[in-house]
Amino acid sequence: MAQIVTIDPVTRIEGHLRIDVEVEDGVVKDAWSSGTMFRGIEMLLKDKHPWDAQQVTERICGVCPLVHGTASSYNLDDAMGVELPDNARLIRNLCLGANFIQSHILHFYHLAALDYVDVTAVLNYAGNNPGLKALKGKIAGLAKANDLYPFMPRYESDDYVSDPEVATTLVGHYVEALEARKKAQEMLSIFYGRMPSFVGTIPGGVTVQPTVSNIAAFRSRLAELRFWIDNVYVQDIMTVAGVPAYSIFFTAGDSGGNYLAYGGFDENSQGTEKFLPSGYILANGVSAVKTFDEQQIIESVKHSWYTEDCEGRQPSDGKTDPDLEKDGAYSFLKAPRYEGKPMEVGPMARMLVLAGLELSGKIPENKQLLVPLIKQLGLDAKVTELVTAGKFGILPRHAMRALECKLLADQMDVWLDQLKPGEPIWDPKGKDIPSDSQGMGLVEGPRGALGHWITISGKKIANYQCVVPTTWNASPRDKEGNRGPIETSLLGLPVPDPENPINVVRCVRSFDPCLACAIHVIHPEHNGVKEFRVV
């Protein structure tokens, strides 16, 4: 007999997400993803000065201000006809890259790893490593005080990594990751002043000149992080992926085979060349990456709490008019679609697009990055197996995030070499507000493709729309009844114990959802406590 399992809210993600799954015979038969809070940022911006957009949209999320500020800057650049100086482009790349590093490390160690590691196994550590022995003492103290909350909440499962040596090493890296994230935040503060609510990027460029001193300060921290990513982060992913009990997760959690990347990190002032290329993939056809066209993006609201007038619009003409009484609606997230199809965005989409372009020869061999790295790590046989199977599940999603982190950190050292102290960092066109104009800013954030669109009329904002990564991944069904990527990824997952749906949250967390971006302002009618299962 089928049973509905509700997880509300899903913890150790950003924001409030409700997941309902229908479980029958120990397997997920159907799933619904619901964003239960309303974002009103676009409505707040109407009739405001266009320069307000960048500062206001940074406040969409306390975790993602850097990516929203960057997307808004490119959006306003486009509306004002800015010719971005190379120094500004490079500093934006470096700061966005620092944000990627801290976010990817945060996701694996502090949000996802606790789904795989038994922290209490540290109490059985019998090795002689002084640092790990000290860690054992601290964990023992927390356990004695019944205060293991830094590592909670979580479901119970009998397949956690429980070997004391391995578990203690991983928990030790959990602690080291806090310092690694701090260094990454310091890096972007070198050019942007502070995080969050930074002021370093503005329409037309950036506010801080590159100097010998700040380049050296950035590079020294980057060198430490590159060593840690190579020798700890990437290796830990391979350790977890090597646990026999987790082998099903190489393919379980596949989102349906459609992937989209806007492309990120401009390699020229025109933005026509990207370090992470744009493209899209249909039906897991990795070797057949197609050319991205932003005109193919529309948003469906058939099952979202918005009026029918919001249905089927492109973001540049998008509307955000809530309808709280709408029949059949179950989410405040809209359902963005590309060519009418749901698309997974994020590190796996970006790395599959990059791999497809390299494997098909569209990126020459002497410029390839990912395929050589996969071979260097000895992962080529496993990747070939997954490509043949046509499925990429939970573990590949984690692995590609780590590989992307390494590739990006290495490239940031190259961008530092390209900075030229004393040369321009700002185009004065950035201060000239046009009477009427439109703009678009498409970037890649740690969690995936992010787009901002603006319409200016009478030197004020007439319309502003954001389509964020989690809106793609956690979207509800569209007008054709197609499930969103997270909903599809949950189908077929084993749930042997409905009281401990650990595999459901493992899958959801592998997307690194950020509901604070996808939905924002609380509506009083929907802020009441309904049904909560703290997991």
Side-chain angles (χ1 to χ4, degrees), residues 66 103 115 118 149 198 216 268 278 331 349 372 399 419 447 455 511 532:
L66 195 288
S103 183
D115 289 337
D118 179 7
Y149 297 109
F198 62 96
N268 61 15
S278 66
S331 180
L419 286 170
R447 293 169 175 82
T455 298
F511 286 86
F532 281 87

Side-chain angles (χ1 to χ4, degrees), residues 74-76 78-80 316 437-441 452-456:
Y74 281 112
N75 189 19
L76 294 166
D78 186 38
M80 297 172 190
S316 59
S437 185
Q438 287 191 310
M440 175 179 68
H452 284 206
W453 287 262
I454 188 172
T455 298
I456 298 173

